[in-house]
Amino acid sequence: MKRIFFSILFFLTLSSTFAQRLITDADAKVFRFKFHKNDQSRILSTVNEDVYLNGRFNHSAIILNRISSVITDVDEEGRGRADAVFMTTETSGRTWNNTSSTWGEEYESVFTRDVRGKYEMEDSYFMPTVRDVPVFPQEAVKPGDKWKAQGYEAHDLRRAFGIEKPFMFPFEANYTYRGDMHTEDGRIVSLIEINYEMFFTTPNMQADREAIMQAPKITTGYSNQKVWWDNERGQIDHYAEDFKIQIETFGEDVVLFTGKAHAEVTDFRRANTEENLKKITNTVKEMGLENVDVKESERGLTISIENIQFQPDSAYLMDSEKIKLTKIAGILKDFENDLLITGHCAKRGSVKMQQLLSEERAQAVADYLSRMNIRNPNCIFTQGKGASEPIDSNLTEEGRARNRRVEITIMDK
């Protein structure tokens, strides 16, 4: 189940303990979001869930949801306009091998959020799924105070019912401000608990019978969240959730999802700048790296390794390429941005084999970089493009060598 947990814009990991003392009016706070133009962030939420079908365990899954956003404008009332890209990928099975993740399906979204947390967006965007959580009250609150606010879930029913707009249903969220704590770096954060229940009946509409039978008819469940809020920065530091969602399909199957989620943020500097392009290009030349090119790309700054050498028709790196990657790893350590490793191959064999080989080669490079500890494996993603994006002719050996490449992108979004 690709459930996106992203109702917030910023996260950080923290640990500390609450101070026990008498609560006074001086402890009252007005909680507000604070947006700044050109702020960039990456949110990575990890969902660990168990799935049951008709009362029997079916499988476990780990779902990674990645949201990259940039604040493009802030109006006079403090509302921030964000351009965001949402990506989700799922690894099924009882265990996870702690390696990089395959790049999944993407959704672009543009929205505005006000200082209390309410969204404004066009109905052409399907992300975020959960909206208006958290929403803060107008007045100041003290530890122990409670409030309620309406939130929404936006469901994508295009495939099942041909509905071309998000299908919205509301829920009432209950909030409790529990108190403050200090982080290890001395900041003050506030713990806010959020709980809500869901009940959603899908409209009975005309669509393909097979799709309808698998589509949700009745959705019920709950979400219990803990949010640590940095009021000075006007953003969330850390987020944790446990949830239970039960879906009864039109085909009368009952699917149960239970699990936990947590999320964190990385605020990173933009990689794709003229200064970085020049710096990395000069470093590549100084290192004497052959068949390595540095270029600007749509996602960030890309280091392209052309004519990358694997054992024949395999994804096993030659020793010469391992030496090259070790040197490139030294460049990558200067950045905290996520990495996207993209494999390409020459036009040989079937399209299916080309795709598989490009995916395996991207994974081989990602695994090698992971073993060098340049990134947490959660921050490295892979994808294969087969022979679909050649940069030279496949009619000559020289052209095929250039097309047989792996690209490492230092991601800005």
Side-chain angles (χ1 to χ4, degrees):
M1 176 185 177
K2 294 179 173 58
R3 174 170 169 79
I4 312 296
F5 298 91
F6 49 72
S7 306
I8 52 183
L9 292 178
F10 302 100
F11 307 94
L12 277 176
T13 304
L14 57 93
S15 62
S16 185
T17 57
F18 284 102
Q20 302 297 319
R21 60 182 177 81
L22 183 66
I23 297 172
T24 68
D25 289 340
D27 296 302
K29 291 184 177 182
V30 177
F31 292 114
R32 293 292 184 264
F33 281 86
K34 297 177 183 177
F35 302 106
H36 304 92
K37 188 174 181 179
N38 298 324
D39 277 356
Q40 288 184 259
S41 67
R42 183 276 273 153
I43 303 165
L44 186 68
S45 72
T46 304
V47 183
N48 295 269
E49 72 178 12
D50 292 328
V51 183
Y52 297 82
L53 177 61
N54 297 325
R56 294 186 176 184
F57 176 79
N58 186 269
H59 69 278
S60 295
I62 294 179
I63 303 168
L64 294 181
N65 300 303
R66 182 185 186 274
I67 308 101
S68 63
S69 65
V70 57
I71 302 300
T72 58
D73 191 29
V74 180
D75 67 16
E76 293 180 355
E77 297 181 2
R79 290 179 296 208
R81 182 183 185 275
D83 288 5
V85 177
F86 297 79
M87 187 282 298
T88 182
T89 184
E90 179 175 334
T91 302
S92 296
R94 291 179 179 272
T95 60
W96 187 46
N97 57 7
N98 200 37
T99 63
S100 57
S101 299
T102 302
W103 191 256
E105 188 173 5
E106 289 185 55
Y107 299 83
E108 293 186 357
S109 187
V110 178
F111 53 83
T112 298
R113 201 167 191 184
D114 69 18
V115 295
R116 290 180 58 206
K118 293 184 177 181
Y119 283 90
E120 292 181 13
M121 57 195 304
E122 296 180 4
D123 58 15
S124 59
Y125 297 112
F126 289 83
M127 296 295 171
T129 301
V130 181
R131 303 177 186 180
D132 293 0
V133 178
V135 166
F136 298 119
Q138 289 281 9
E139 65 278 4
V141 291
K142 302 188 299 293
D145 283 352
K146 301 177 183 292
W147 68 94
K148 299 177 183 290
Q150 186 169 273
Y152 298 88
E153 289 214 6
H155 285 252
D156 186 350
L157 301 181
R158 285 175 293 182
R159 293 174 184 173
F161 298 101
I163 301 175
E164 294 303 318
K165 298 178 181 179
F167 193 89
M168 308 286 290
F169 76 91
F171 57 82
E172 186 175 64
N174 300 288
Y175 295 81
T176 304
Y177 170 28
R178 290 299 183 188
D180 294 347
M181 58 189 288
H182 285 83
T183 65
E184 291 182 347
D185 60 1
R187 291 179 294 110
I188 297 175
V189 293
S190 304
L191 173 59
I192 300 170
E193 294 182 353
I194 309 170
N195 306 286
Y196 61 85
E197 295 182 351
M198 296 170 283
F199 183 88
F200 169 57
T201 301
T202 306
N204 194 1
M205 299 183 180
Q206 297 296 320
D208 178 78
R209 176 173 172 77
E210 183 177 353
I212 288 179
M213 298 304 282
Q214 299 177 25
K217 179 181 180 181
I218 299 174
T219 303
T220 59
Y222 65 78
S223 170
N224 297 322
Q225 304 175 15
K226 289 184 177 181
V227 169
W228 285 265
W229 178 261
D230 186 331
N231 207 36
E232 182 176 350
R233 296 183 179 183
Q235 63 187 44
I236 291 174
D237 264 7
H238 177 78
Y239 166 92
E241 176 184 34
D242 64 86
F243 63 90
K244 180 178 180 180
I245 302 168
Q246 180 171 290
I247 295 175
E248 179 184 338
T249 71
F250 281 94
E252 299 185 352
D253 284 325
V254 177
V255 187
L256 176 65
F257 304 88
T258 64
K260 297 181 180 298
H262 66 273
E264 59 186 21
V265 71
T266 300
D267 293 319
F268 52 80
R269 57 192 174 97
R270 185 166 172 261
N272 190 0
T273 65
E274 184 176 346
E275 179 183 357
N276 286 333
L277 177 63
K278 182 177 180 180
K279 179 181 177 181
I280 295 176
T281 300
N282 290 337
T283 301
V284 166
K285 291 180 180 179
E286 292 170 1
M287 289 179 173
L289 298 178
E290 298 181 355
N291 300 316
V292 176
D293 183 38
V294 186
K295 59 186 179 182
E296 297 175 313
S297 65
E298 181 182 353
R299 296 187 185 278
L301 201 57
T302 296
I303 302 173
S304 180
I305 310 171
E306 299 175 8
N307 195 24
I308 188 167
Q309 299 297 303
F310 295 86
Q311 295 181 20
D313 297 318
S314 77
Y316 293 99
L317 284 161
M318 301 290 282
D319 289 342
S320 59
E321 302 308 301
K322 293 179 180 178
I323 294 172
K324 187 180 296 183
L325 286 171
T326 299
K327 294 181 179 180
I328 291 174
I331 297 173
L332 300 176
K333 287 181 179 179
D334 289 338
F335 297 87
E336 296 182 352
N337 309 45
D338 292 345
L339 301 177
L340 177 62
I341 316 297
T342 305
H344 302 266
C345 63
K347 197 170 185 179
R348 292 181 54 185
S350 67
V351 172
K352 182 177 180 180
M353 288 303 298
Q354 293 165 9
Q355 180 63 31
L356 180 61
L357 190 58
S358 67
E359 292 173 359
E360 290 177 341
R361 288 178 169 177
Q363 188 64 58
V365 171
D367 290 345
Y368 188 80
L369 293 175
S370 292
R371 289 195 295 271
M372 299 188 69
N373 295 319
I374 64 166
R375 291 290 190 287
N376 184 300
N378 281 2
C379 301
I380 302 178
F381 300 87
T382 65
Q383 65 178 357
K385 293 290 189 176
S388 64
E389 296 182 2
I391 57 174
D392 209 327
S393 171
N394 278 295
L395 300 178
T396 66
E397 181 55 40
E398 180 181 357
R400 289 191 292 270
R402 292 198 65 207
N403 292 333
R404 189 171 57 247
R405 70 195 189 280
V406 170
E407 296 175 333
I408 304 170
T409 300
I410 306 168
M411 298 184 70
D412 285 340
K413 65 178 185 178

